[in-house]
Amino acid sequence: MVLPVVHVTQKLTSQYFANGVRKVVIKEVKLYLSKVLVTGWSGYLGWPTTIRLLKLGHEVMGIDNNLRENLVSMSSSESATPIDDEKTRKKFANKLGKFEYRRVEMTNYYDLHQTIESFEPDYIIHLAAQPSAPYSMINNFSAYSVTQENNNRSTINLLWIMKGMKKKPVLIFASTMGVYGQPEYSIPFDGMMANNGKLEYPIPYMAGSFYHISKTVDEQNIIFATKQWGLKSVIFRQGVVFGLWTNDTELMESMTRFDFDTYFGTALNRFVAQAVIGQKMTLYGKGKQTRGFVTLEHCIQDLVSIIDRNNMQNLNPNQPEEGKPMIRNSVTDCFGLDKLVEAVMKVIPEAEFTHIENPRKEKEENDLVMEESPRPLDLQKEISYLYSALVPFREKIRKYYR
Ligand code: USQ
């Protein structure tokens, strides 16, 4: 297997204590460092992913067009957490490593092409998209121009650019568990369906919104182009991401964004934001829908583990081969929405909820079973961290609900 991109030799110091004697051992190790292009770097996932990559020694270029920020403000809301401007974030990022950012409109093929050619990434983590299912269901403009056209054009531009590159980067595409819909069968680890014992076909797509359909089309285009042109790609299907805590929280002077509004706030994040201001948590329908949820930390770990080969003796099972698209789920555990509300009420006893008529057309009740086992999670600890992190921004959240 052809491996690394950049070799760096580092000296490691280990300490042993024997009979009270302290020994220092200097060890030579090789680190495999990469150049990573993060699209959507200034978003909820993009910023903590950028930080983690820099901390691990990778070089990062971030691109963004501020779509999320603009759409949230057009929805009369804003991030509950303060977001530093690009220059301030860059200054902070540069304390950790080599980081550059550019304002790039990914639907503009020429600009995107120039940016990628000049940076020559080894990996592209593609997070930039209109990410909201309810936003995509407002009208024909939100469904098509802002969601499907924007998301699909950006991804197809990336694929054609990659096709023409001599040294082809690996594409890591942020997709969604929503492409499965609410299936009755258990979801396989690699998202593929057996054909005569061979895992070959993606399991049927049953997306439940124009947004989720945009991800379905993106996936199909990636699978097709990967096979046709011998590209390397990983389709990364994440559950509903929640929380504000990551392993880098102590280090981060600059917080990531946190949306809580009807369109861009996702379930558990909204519930905690509502509890912070004494607003009843809005449980849609009976609250018996089950979804895959993933903590912010797990999601970043999963994304970065595709790139990071340093802890795996270079045998990272996440490395895709040419022409063979790889599918990965990113989930901590599956929960019914009512269970999440109960968990919030355990942490914040004064929190209340109300059932409201479901504005979405979805199964009232479903089980969701993943073939991979759930990861250890202290849900109450996550909720309680999130609650304390949001308390200072109470007024901003209250303003939205007024
Ligand atoms: N829900 C409520 N109350 C609320 C908000 C949502 O009960 O106030 C319910 C919804 O009815 C739904 C569930 O919570 O059954 C999840 O809704 P959501 O808004 O948290 O998440 P969703 O629309 O599915 O989309 C989010 C992200 C999207 C990502 C997706 C992963 O916006 O970018 O792709 O989660 S997944 O859901 O696994 O497809």
Side-chain angles (χ1 to χ4, degrees):
M1 189 174 17
V2 188
L3 269 174
V5 199
V6 188
H7 292 222
V8 173
T9 309
Q10 254 213 352
K11 293 195 166 166
L12 259 199
T13 309
S14 321
Q15 300 175 340
Y16 297 102
F17 296 91
N19 306 328
V21 181
R22 181 168 170 240
K23 277 202 219 164
V24 177
V25 181
I26 311 282
K27 236 177 152 188
E28 295 259 299
V29 288
K30 271 184 181 154
L31 288 179
Y32 301 105
L33 302 181
S34 305
K35 290 174 85 174
V36 188
L37 180 81
V38 178
T39 80
W41 76 277
S42 69
Y44 175 53
L45 289 179
W47 179 230
T49 302
T50 298
I51 298 299
R52 182 67 48 87
L53 289 166
L54 291 170
K55 212 178 96 177
L56 290 169
H58 303 291
E59 180 180 340
V60 179
M61 174 180 277
I63 61 172
D64 214 302
N65 68 350
N66 257 12
L67 177 72
R68 167 80 161 255
E69 176 71 14
N70 294 336
L71 293 179
V72 171
S73 84
M74 275 155 62
S75 312
S76 310
S77 188
E78 59 183 318
S79 164
T81 48
I83 312 167
D84 287 330
D85 61 28
E86 289 157 337
K87 278 191 188 150
T88 312
R89 278 185 165 185
K90 179 175 173 350
K91 222 167 134 191
F92 170 67
N94 282 145
K95 285 192 210 159
L96 299 172
K98 213 165 166 192
F99 172 74
E100 194 51 67
Y101 73 87
R102 288 202 197 155
R103 274 285 172 104
V104 176
E105 181 50 71
M106 289 189 72
T107 53
N108 182 325
Y109 184 86
Y110 179 75
D111 283 357
L112 185 63
H113 192 225
Q114 275 212 324
T115 306
I116 294 179
E117 275 217 327
S118 66
F119 183 58
E120 295 189 312
D122 304 301
Y123 291 88
I124 298 175
I125 300 186
H126 180 28
L127 303 170
Q130 190 300 96
S132 158
Y135 180 84
S136 76
M137 301 299 288
I138 300 175
N139 55 34
N140 65 340
F141 182 72
S142 78
Y144 188 67
S145 307
V146 189
T147 305
Q148 295 192 342
E149 190 180 22
N150 174 71
N151 294 0
N152 296 154
R153 196 187 284 268
S154 303
T155 305
I156 213 156
N157 279 352
L158 272 182
L159 292 169
W160 279 96
I161 292 165
M162 284 168 64
K163 175 181 188 275
M165 290 173 77
K166 255 202 198 124
K167 199 184 93 195
K168 292 184 177 24
V170 176
L171 174 64
I172 302 168
F173 171 67
S175 187
T176 167
M177 292 254 318
V179 299
Y180 299 121
Q182 293 169 285
E184 304 297 337
Y185 46 81
S186 60
I187 296 174
F189 173 64
D190 59 4
M192 302 294 257
M193 201 169 68
N195 174 35
N196 293 331
K198 260 178 83 187
L199 292 170
E200 223 178 320
Y201 299 109
I203 69 164
Y205 289 107
M206 290 190 287
S209 73
F210 289 120
Y211 155 72
H212 288 104
I213 292 172
S214 81
K215 291 291 176 181
T216 301
V217 173
D218 273 344
E219 285 199 8
Q220 292 278 5
N221 287 340
I222 291 169
I223 291 170
F224 174 74
T226 301
K227 288 182 178 171
Q228 282 279 313
W229 303 330
L231 304 180
K232 289 184 182 176
S233 64
V234 181
I235 288 169
F236 182 83
R237 291 178 177 161
Q238 64 199 44
V240 185
V241 188
F242 69 95
L244 264 178
W245 186 88
T246 72
N247 286 342
D248 304 321
T249 292
E250 311 306 323
L251 156 119
M252 290 201 22
E253 290 163 19
S254 179
M255 294 181 89
T256 191
R257 67 172 303 118
F258 184 91
D259 294 302
F260 56 89
D261 63 287
T262 321
Y263 294 123
F264 295 92
T266 50
L268 183 53
N269 283 353
R270 287 199 86 198
F271 294 157
V272 178
Q274 288 163 337
V276 163
I277 57 160
Q279 176 89 19
K280 286 186 179 159
M281 295 179 277
T282 49
L283 194 53
Y284 294 167
K286 287 186 196 155
K288 295 284 175 198
Q289 317 89 305
T290 304
R291 288 281 184 285
F293 284 83
V294 57
T295 64
L296 184 59
E297 172 56 30
H298 282 159
C299 187
I300 291 160
Q301 271 178 27
D302 291 347
L303 269 174
V304 171
S305 72
I306 299 166
I307 294 173
D308 196 29
R309 289 170 289 206
N310 297 312
N311 296 323
M312 309 215 178
Q313 291 139 349
N314 311 331
L315 294 172
N316 189 336
N318 285 327
Q319 285 293 302
E321 288 171 42
E322 271 175 25
K324 292 192 177 167
M326 191 179 246
I327 299 181
R328 286 282 174 267
N329 302 309
S330 180
V331 188
T332 301
D333 204 349
C334 297
F335 296 100
L337 272 289
D338 53 351
K339 296 285 171 262
L340 293 181
V341 161
E342 277 169 28
V344 176
M345 290 191 303
K346 273 196 191 134
V347 178
I348 312 153
E350 61 278 15
E352 292 179 293
F353 73 93
T354 175
H355 287 284
I356 65 171
E357 195 185 330
N358 198 337
R360 305 183 190 190
K361 223 173 181 177
E362 56 187 358
K363 276 188 204 162
E364 282 252 30
E365 241 171 89
N366 73 301
D367 283 330
L368 186 67
V369 185
M370 305 291 300
E371 274 181 11
E372 61 250 70
S373 37
R375 283 181 269 192
L377 168 70
D378 188 337
L379 187 56
Q380 294 191 18
K381 201 167 148 197
E382 285 279 341
I383 292 172
S384 119
Y385 177 83
L386 183 51
Y387 181 79
S388 330
L390 291 180
V391 165
F393 312 117
R394 218 174 223 155
E395 274 320 302
K396 262 200 209 172
I397 303 172
R398 195 164 277 142
K399 210 166 88 193
Y400 175 77
Y401 280 94
R402 245 181 237 142

